[in-house]
Amino acid sequence: MCGIIGYVGPRRAEELLLSGLSRLEYRGYDSAGIAVLTSHGLFLLRRVGKLENLRQAVLESGVSGNLGIGHTRWATHGLPTEENAHPHLDCTGKIALVHNGIIENHRALREKLLKNGHIFRSQTDTETLVHLVEENYDGDLVEAVRKALAEARGAYAIAVIHADHPQEIVAAREGSPLVAGILPQEGFLASDVPALLPYTRTLHFLEDGEVVRLAPGKLEIWDRRGIRKGPNFRTVPWDPLSAEKMGYRHFMEKEIHEQPRAVADTLRSELATPWEEGLGKLDLSEIDHVYLVACGTSYHAALVAEYLWEPLLGLPVAAEIASEFRYKGPAVGRSTLVVAVSQSGETIDTLMAVRGAKERGAKVIGVVNIVGSALARESHAVLYTRAGLEIGVAATKTFTAQIAALALLGLWLARSRGVLSENDLQELKEELSQAPRLVERALELGPAIEALAQKLYSFPNFLYLGRGILYPLALEGALKLKEISYIHAEGYAAGEMKHGPIALVHEGMPVVVLYSQEELPDKVLSNIQEVKARRGILVVFADDAPPELRELGDHLVLLPKASRRLLPFTFTPALQLLAYHIARLRGTDVDQPRNLAKTVTVE
Ligand code: G6P
């Protein structure tokens, strides 16, 4: 959730830290801080609120140095106050530490440290770590960090600097992401790739249990047992411009418009080398059921896959919310295929669900956007979405790219189970290759949807209805609206409306109905009638407009026609645009909605 940045080298560390934090702000944004080593020792500066407040303070302070760490926070333990913002200092003021994650045994550690005379200045779990490093420090910072972490339980990514070590940052990972890069005279560290894109694209993704020492031009790594290992540098295929808005008002708007490319790239690369990273070698002969596990928007993509795959594979297929799946005692064993879907590849619940399933002998395929992420490493095989960097907290292009990847994966699974002929495979691939063009055509409706948003943006509640494959899209449409506009919105299976939500319908309630000739049109038409009879405001997204629909719909958005399997590629961009324009008109912080974080690394 929080974002970490670190720098050592000849540039002005404070400037680089601020610029890195601005690219990590999507990870958390209730407070931020930096610690920079100056000729007078460590200089600490923290501010509550957006990064801009910290930037002002840094400017006013005139601080400058060549070693520093920074942090943007998403509060877990302790209110978003200046005392609770990171970095935290030890009692001597010589050690500074930033942390992303949760230290589960922080209470016991705090008690022990208090007894030993340490003075705490915050309510955070993190502060225990910096005092632990202090306790264990004996001239060797790496050793002190390793000993401190041996006492800590939980998930973390940390970075530590010491005033007596002006040329090094020590960092460690257990459950929360960290990447490190070097140039001849410099060392860089961050929670995520975007922060480092302007400097280097060649990065080492830390593995769980690793402790690293970063110095100018040098990266040393120790594994969990304290054994030295070499870096495993990977080059990320993103150019630095992907972290710029390029004339759009928000990253979300830009990313919505990047979808034709994201879907095309995903399909193209997977169609060309479809079974990379072990997929072709995976023995799935024993598989008799499939679970798709994911969180948030990725869960909705998984649900789309459930609708695509079950009829195709002739196997039970179920999409599951990862945080529920983990604890419900799922029937998982050697005959289970688990497909984990995650943009970041670092979502803790998805990762833990995968670990649990692997322990019970399940086969795991990851569908991931971030190369080298934990989920990519821990899955038996990986299928990458090629959406590029997504900065808006609300997922858009990664969602449609996930659906493209999952559609392909379904074809491959069907083929490898022998339930799809070569001819049918070619036909379905051909059909799928139309997806980017369909997204493009749906995006052409932008001005009409913007005009519709003008009419709707002041309503406080929305209901979204869909059936079949349009049901997960209704859920996703409602999620987009609520997360960026703060309007209460519910997605529902249209057939379930009579079992509760219909009680909400009245003349002040917009009901967004997804209607397609390809998915139970008559039944949806009946649901539309039911809404109309209760004077709900009907907002229909449809790929066809029979006369009865024209008569009933208060507002109608006519989408390009597509086959059933391709409906996600027309309905999704249209619903994203509706949410985007409503949020924009309401003046919310579209790219960084309150309380949300892009990558959720705590349970
Ligand atoms: C957070 C993000 C969502 C995302 C979800 C799952 O809630 O704000 O946009 O869908 O996490 O993330 P993942 O990286 O696993 O897809």
Side-chain angles (χ1 to χ4, degrees):
M1 323 275 298
C2 309
I4 288 177
I5 178 97
Y7 176 73
V8 53
R11 300 185 213 216
R12 294 187 60 164
E14 67 288 353
E15 284 176 7
L16 194 137
L17 296 179
L18 283 173
S19 134
L21 287 177
S22 72
R23 289 158 191 269
L24 289 174
E25 217 184 355
Y26 65 88
R27 295 181 64 85
Y29 29 81
D30 58 43
S31 51
I34 59 169
V36 174
L37 185 61
T38 70
S39 47
H40 307 293
L42 281 183
F43 185 87
L44 180 71
L45 213 49
R46 301 176 294 186
R47 287 295 179 270
V48 172
K50 290 275 189 173
L51 189 61
E52 200 39 44
N53 301 346
L54 179 67
R55 191 190 306 280
Q56 279 306 323
V58 170
L59 272 178
E60 285 159 20
S61 73
V63 62
S64 184
N66 302 119
L67 169 74
I69 51 177
H71 188 268
T72 172
R73 179 167 187 248
W74 187 90
T76 55
H77 291 66
L79 292 171
T81 60
E82 201 166 307
E83 295 72 42
N84 288 336
H86 302 210
H88 292 284
L89 296 182
D90 72 326
C91 299
T92 66
K94 283 189 153 192
I95 308 175
L97 180 146
V98 288
H99 167 221
N100 166 206
I102 291 179
I103 302 303
E104 284 163 5
N105 58 339
H106 70 103
R107 277 197 194 85
L109 291 173
R110 183 183 274 250
E111 264 171 39
K112 181 188 119 171
L113 289 159
L114 283 170
K115 274 192 199 127
N116 290 356
H118 289 269
I119 295 166
F120 279 76
R121 302 182 189 90
S122 77
Q123 287 100 49
T124 62
D125 53 331
T126 303
E127 199 185 343
T128 57
L129 286 179
V130 73
H131 293 292
L132 270 182
V133 175
E134 178 189 1
E135 283 257 303
N136 288 291
Y137 180 71
D138 190 15
D140 182 340
L141 191 56
V142 171
E143 207 40 43
V145 167
R146 210 195 343 259
K147 284 184 179 155
L149 292 178
E151 291 185 56
R153 249 194 5 255
Y156 50 77
I158 60 163
V160 189
I161 55 173
H162 192 300
D164 294 345
H165 298 259
Q167 296 272 292
E168 72 180 67
I169 301 171
V170 176
R173 166 187 172 131
E174 186 71 61
S176 302
L178 265 187
V179 294
I182 48 175
L183 290 176
Q185 303 298 322
E186 300 175 276
F188 305 86
L189 181 81
S191 292
D192 207 350
V193 178
L196 303 187
L197 277 183
Y199 318 106
T200 175
R201 293 193 289 135
T202 303
L203 299 164
H204 170 78
F205 291 71
L206 271 74
E207 291 186 19
D208 279 349
E210 281 183 3
V211 176
V212 306
R213 173 161 42 211
L214 195 60
K218 196 166 164 196
L219 176 64
E220 295 167 280
I221 305 172
W222 290 265
D223 71 9
R224 201 185 290 287
R225 295 158 300 164
I227 295 172
R228 274 291 293 275
K229 59 193 276 204
N232 176 14
F233 284 114
R234 286 163 171 263
T235 300
V236 191
W238 299 342
D239 74 65
L241 281 182
S242 55
E244 309 295 335
K245 286 192 195 135
M246 310 283 291
Y248 287 97
R249 288 165 284 196
H250 296 96
F251 281 111
M252 182 180 179
E253 187 184 24
K254 173 178 166 239
E255 288 156 5
I256 288 173
H257 286 90
E258 283 172 344
Q259 288 181 106
R261 167 95 186 271
V263 171
D265 286 354
T266 300
L267 291 175
R268 192 176 311 120
S269 83
E270 300 307 336
L271 284 171
T273 51
W275 327 128
E276 65 178 272
E277 309 241 353
L279 205 52
K281 288 183 226 133
L282 216 54
D283 176 10
L284 299 175
S285 53
E286 281 181 63
I287 299 304
D288 62 15
H289 63 287
V290 183
Y291 283 120
L292 291 129
V293 294
C295 300
T297 290
S298 297
Y299 166 67
H300 295 153
L303 214 50
V304 169
E306 179 184 309
Y307 280 85
L308 291 174
W309 289 5
E310 197 151 300
L312 188 68
L313 302 182
L315 286 180
V317 176
E320 301 268 349
I321 294 169
S323 56
E324 291 298 320
F325 182 75
R326 284 175 66 184
Y327 297 111
K328 74 168 197 183
V332 170
R334 301 187 61 79
S335 61
T336 313
L337 172 64
V338 169
V339 177
V341 188
S342 172
Q343 183 281 130
S344 62
E346 300 284 351
T347 301
I348 193 79
D349 284 314
T350 309
L351 212 49
M352 298 308 272
V354 159
R355 287 182 188 160
K358 272 172 78 181
E359 275 164 22
R360 292 168 184 199
K363 296 276 185 331
V364 176
I365 300 177
V367 176
V368 177
N369 196 45
I370 308 283
V371 175
S373 57
L375 191 58
R377 287 199 305 266
E378 296 192 24
S379 302
H380 294 119
V382 187
L383 199 66
Y384 283 109
T385 47
R386 311 279 171 172
L389 176 60
E390 186 176 72
I391 290 183
V393 165
T396 51
K397 62 175 177 171
T398 54
F399 176 65
T400 39
Q402 283 168 342
I403 295 173
L406 288 165
L408 266 184
L409 182 56
L411 298 187
W412 181 77
L413 291 173
R415 188 76 184 125
S416 65
R417 282 182 49 75
V419 294
L420 189 67
S421 70
E422 182 58 34
N423 258 354
D424 288 348
L425 174 70
Q426 289 317 324
E427 252 174 48
L428 290 172
K429 276 187 177 176
E430 178 57 35
E431 179 190 53
L432 201 49
S433 69
Q434 298 162 18
R437 178 70 192 123
L438 285 171
V439 178
E440 231 166 65
R441 289 183 52 210
L443 290 172
E444 285 164 12
L445 295 167
I449 296 174
E450 191 170 355
L452 175 62
Q454 281 283 358
K455 297 182 186 135
L456 297 175
Y457 77 94
S458 55
F459 289 98
N461 295 292
F462 278 64
L463 190 60
Y464 282 67
L465 301 176
R467 274 178 187 259
I469 202 167
L470 296 177
Y471 162 55
L473 305 184
L475 294 181
E476 175 60 12
L479 176 65
K480 281 292 88 86
L481 185 68
K482 81 180 117 195
E483 64 185 344
I484 61 169
S485 72
Y486 315 147
I487 291 174
H488 173 235
E490 292 295 334
Y492 242 84
E496 278 286 292
M497 186 183 60
K498 287 194 272 301
H499 302 289
I502 200 163
L504 300 171
V505 178
H506 60 87
E507 64 278 6
M509 177 79 159
V511 181
V512 179
V513 185
L514 314 190
Y515 171 93
S516 166
Q517 278 301 335
E518 302 289 325
E519 200 65 304
L520 302 164
D522 297 339
K523 305 235 178 276
V524 176
L525 216 45
S526 306
N527 300 132
I528 290 175
Q529 298 271 14
E530 289 152 13
V531 172
K532 191 71 187 175
R534 276 130 196 115
R535 298 201 174 79
I537 303 165
L538 270 165
V539 183
V540 184
F541 284 73
D543 61 2
D544 190 23
E548 55 270 49
L549 192 63
R550 283 190 190 278
E551 275 162 33
L552 291 169
D554 298 304
H555 307 283
L556 181 65
V557 177
L558 201 54
L559 296 168
K561 277 199 188 310
S563 65
R564 172 185 171 271
R565 283 177 292 267
L566 295 184
L567 294 176
F569 299 104
T570 52
F571 280 82
T572 305
L575 295 175
Q576 291 167 343
L577 283 171
L578 181 66
Y580 171 72
H581 287 300
I582 288 180
R584 200 178 48 73
L585 290 164
R586 288 171 77 98
T588 58
D589 192 344
V590 170
D591 285 332
Q592 295 175 355
R594 72 180 176 216
N595 303 341
L596 296 178
K598 180 115 190 114
T599 310
V600 178
T601 50
V602 294
E603 287 180 48

